[in-house]
Amino acid sequence: MTDGHGVLLVGLWIIVLLACIGSQHLPSAIGSDDARAVLLCALLLNIALSLLGAIRHRRLLADSRLCRTLEARVQTLASRDPLTGLANRRTLAEVASGTMITAARRGLSIAVLTVNLDNFRSVNEGPGHEAGDAVLVDMAEALTALIPPSATVARLGGDEFCCLMTFDAGRPATVDGLVAAIMARLTRPLAVGRESIRRTVSIGIARTEPGDMTIDAAMRRADIALSAVKKAGGDAASWFDAGMGRELAVRNAIEAGLRTAIPAGRIVPYYEQQIDLSTGRLAGFEVLARWDHPTDGILLPDRFIPIAEEAGLVSDLSMSIMRQAFEHAASWDPGLTLSVNISPGQLKDPWLAEKILKLLIETNFPPQRLEIEITETSLFDNLALAQSIVASLKNQGVRLALDDFGTGYSSLAHLRALPFDRIKIDKSFVMAMADDPECTAIVEAITRLGHSLSVPVTAEGVETAAIAGRLRALGCHKVQGWHYGRPLDVQQVRRLLADRSLLGTARAA
Ligand code: C2E
Ligand code: CA
Ligand code: CA
């Protein structure tokens, strides 16, 4: 029985009781039957209303208690990171304004530390997500224990942590001391179940000067310092310096340039020959992006593809390159194939297959002449989505190659996860075959693996006839590299094809 029911029963009992008492005593007091009846009704009504009020009051009290509990829960969820209980990004922003005021009043600087685990992904993918969570919780506990009481630590997302602390601008060694303690504590192996997880961390540090910089600007600088540490191999800490700022300015200029270069068609396809090793014939081309820059000449993709990926521009860039390449190749010999590189970010786009198939239809390029190259890293984030994209493309006859095999995980599980039509051995092993027996052994092992899975193998980075000969002996199917020619622009390809009578007449490029 609920509280409400209880109150109701007691109420009814009182009504009955009062009604009995009232009917016995009222007649003598009042005298008339009518007046007595009216008074009795009024009395009963009064009691009933009081009871109803009491019940409603209790309900409202309970409701408001529930609301307050829910509100507190929502506030905790909105301000704390649920896994570690640390402040989240929003709370850090609120705390930061208070820290700025305190620092200004006391003439102190603020140090911002961005702390990041190296290769955290390998913990989630190796020992598993539970181990990954344990590492994050331990990291949060360590940071909380090490920072001074007036400092704040927050988890900004993933394995990204941030500490804010005030310090005397003349004594940056206090910050260095804390950083050294964090590095020492967080590089200790962590026991999770039966596993002992080894980890290293990278730390970027930046400071505000009294009265000049905002925390946001300091956080951006700490992030830049962190990226510099990561780029140099991680497992270290570094203060932000002006040189890193210049690097950021160059990066931003490239991003801004890409925003106009892509729609203007200034990112153009170059073509690298792919040769069938058994016949020595030209089989097709790998499409490689080049930026035809108005002042800097032809820029290589390493300068701009990673930035295009970060800035979310790689899909537009890729579609523009593919459109140009399909239009060019439509007039070449129909036996020639095109291999295009698809970056990891593109495989997170659920519409990728539709976009490519639409482009094939619009340019009238047969899907059977297209091969897409993806790397193992593309498969980490969302394997199921990658599988569905690949299935849609393969249904239409597009083929699939696993690029840069041998670097990264080189896992058989990844090879089996998707129906690859080709494995491409990374050029670093092929180029080193001449003087590194270990690389020769790797190339041999990958070629054998390809044979046992009945998946043909391409070797890239073939720079000499001698290496080509050894690859042929190993049973490699296709090759590409400087020995066969540097990547060519479309006019150079047309001349090469015209010389070999491989230029169709279907359409002019
Ligand atoms: P990748 O897919 O591994 O492409 C092969 C790279 O090796 C190309 O560099 C090619 O020029 C170079 N290469 C080929 N043979 C040799 C050789 O014998 N010796 C040497 N030293 N190098 C050789 P490139 O054109 O600079 O491209 C670099 C990377 O940029 C590519 O590596 C690919 O990951 C990426 N990339 C290029 N174009 C595109 C594109 O359109 N979209 C995407 N997402 N990535 C692209
Ligand atoms: Ca490639
Ligand atoms: Ca490659």
Side-chain angles (χ1 to χ4, degrees):
M1 188 169 23
T2 65
D3 283 0
H5 290 129
V7 171
L8 205 64
L9 276 182
V10 173
L12 282 173
W13 185 79
I14 293 171
I15 291 170
V16 172
L17 197 72
L18 284 176
C20 296
I21 297 167
S23 60
Q24 278 170 18
H25 295 285
L26 278 175
S28 55
I30 296 172
S32 107
D33 280 357
D34 284 355
R36 218 169 45 223
V38 170
L39 254 177
L40 185 63
C41 284
L43 185 66
L44 287 177
L45 198 62
N46 212 328
I47 293 168
L49 282 173
S50 305
L51 276 169
L52 266 175
I55 292 167
R56 276 206 63 170
H57 180 67
R58 281 185 74 107
R59 269 204 204 131
L60 282 174
L61 260 182
D63 282 358
S64 75
R65 245 180 261 134
L66 181 68
C67 281
R68 273 201 302 277
T69 317
L70 285 174
E71 186 190 9
R73 171 127 184 83
V74 168
Q75 268 173 7
T76 311
L77 286 176
S79 63
R80 316 299 304 175
D81 162 50
L83 177 67
T84 61
L86 290 183
N88 61 14
R89 193 181 284 274
R90 203 190 77 166
T91 312
L92 185 73
E94 285 165 14
V95 172
S97 33
T99 311
M100 282 294 273
I101 295 167
T102 314
R105 221 177 24 227
R106 299 206 202 138
L108 295 172
S109 287
I110 299 169
V112 177
L113 277 59
T114 47
V115 186
N116 210 240
L117 276 168
D118 299 324
N119 302 319
F120 178 55
R121 186 187 258 180
S122 65
V123 178
N124 277 331
E125 273 151 17
H129 283 272
E130 267 177 37
D133 285 356
V135 167
L136 294 173
V137 169
D138 178 69
M139 197 161 161
E141 284 169 3
L143 291 171
T144 311
L146 289 169
I147 57 164
S150 60
T152 307
V153 56
R155 179 177 174 218
L156 305 182
D159 59 333
E160 207 185 324
F161 292 79
C162 178
C163 304
L164 286 188
M165 68 180 275
T166 53
F167 73 105
D168 181 345
R171 297 176 58 206
T174 13
V175 181
D176 292 328
L178 172 67
V179 168
I182 293 176
M183 295 283 295
R185 166 67 177 77
L186 288 181
T187 42
R188 265 193 242 150
L190 176 71
V192 179
R194 280 199 221 133
E195 303 257 4
S196 169
I197 296 173
R198 302 193 158 275
R199 55 206 166 144
T200 56
V201 286
S202 299
I203 304 181
I205 320 155
R207 58 192 277 174
T208 61
E209 296 304 334
D212 76 3
M213 207 202 300
T214 63
I215 299 249
D216 270 357
M219 277 177 76
R220 269 199 300 281
R221 289 178 166 207
D223 275 345
I224 294 168
L226 177 68
S227 309
V229 170
K230 291 254 178 196
K231 234 184 192 171
D235 192 15
S238 169
W239 284 85
F240 170 85
D241 72 41
M244 295 174 185
R246 277 193 294 280
E247 214 172 275
L248 180 71
V250 170
R251 186 217 165 276
N252 289 346
I254 291 179
E255 182 183 328
L258 278 174
R259 290 192 189 277
T260 51
I262 296 168
R266 286 203 298 273
I267 313 291
V268 296
Y270 268 50
Y271 300 95
E272 180 168 317
Q273 298 174 58
Q274 296 179 318
I275 310 294
D276 186 324
L277 249 191
S278 55
T279 61
R281 284 221 189 104
L282 177 66
F285 297 91
E286 176 169 359
V287 179
L288 296 164
R290 297 289 182 269
W291 185 346
D292 190 357
H293 198 279
T295 54
D296 299 354
I298 299 291
L299 301 184
L300 292 176
D302 293 352
R303 288 270 300 274
F304 59 88
I305 296 264
I307 296 172
E309 287 201 31
E310 271 172 38
L313 297 170
V314 77
S315 170
D316 288 350
L317 182 151
S318 179
M319 288 302 145
S320 162
I321 294 273
M322 272 193 251
R323 180 179 289 279
Q324 296 173 64
F326 296 165
E327 283 170 358
H328 292 160
S331 64
W332 305 346
D333 184 281
L336 295 171
T337 58
L338 283 183
S339 298
V340 299
N341 292 287
I342 298 293
S343 65
Q346 288 179 270
L347 275 180
K348 288 184 209 148
D349 174 3
W351 297 105
L352 179 68
E354 283 70 19
K355 286 178 187 168
I356 294 178
L357 294 173
K358 183 166 169 269
L359 207 56
L360 287 167
I361 292 165
E362 283 170 6
T363 53
N364 202 20
F365 190 77
Q368 293 73 16
R369 287 180 66 189
L370 176 65
E371 184 164 274
I372 60 166
E373 296 189 0
I374 64 174
T375 55
E376 271 184 297
T377 35
S378 309
L379 307 180
F380 291 143
D381 285 328
N382 193 340
L383 180 61
L385 179 59
Q387 283 170 324
S388 93
I389 292 172
V390 163
S392 309
L393 289 170
K394 287 204 67 161
N395 267 341
Q396 302 303 314
V398 175
R399 269 159 306 137
L400 177 71
L402 183 55
D403 203 2
D404 299 345
F405 197 69
T407 60
Y409 284 80
S410 312
S411 108
L412 199 59
H414 287 148
L415 252 178
R416 290 213 173 107
L418 286 174
F420 288 105
D421 300 292
R422 174 172 306 283
I423 301 171
K424 291 188 76 174
I425 308 177
D426 188 66
K427 62 177 179 291
S428 57
F429 304 114
V430 180
M431 282 157 65
M433 272 174 85
D435 37 34
D436 187 344
E438 224 171 80
C439 286
T440 308
I442 291 172
V443 171
E444 215 178 311
I446 298 177
T447 316
R448 281 224 205 104
L449 181 68
H451 287 168
S452 61
L453 295 170
S454 306
V455 180
V457 172
T458 293
E460 61 181 12
V462 181
E463 294 189 336
T464 64
I467 300 287
R470 284 166 70 182
L471 290 165
R472 190 179 299 109
L474 285 177
C476 245
H477 300 83
K478 267 194 207 170
V479 276
Q480 58 183 90
W482 292 176
H483 175 58
Y484 301 96
R486 301 270 172 150
L488 306 170
D489 68 22
V490 62
Q491 277 80 26
Q492 291 167 321
V493 171
R494 284 183 64 81
R495 278 198 291 277
L496 178 134
L497 296 180
D499 286 349
R500 300 187 192 177
S501 308
L502 287 172
L503 211 49
T505 48
R507 194 165 8 141

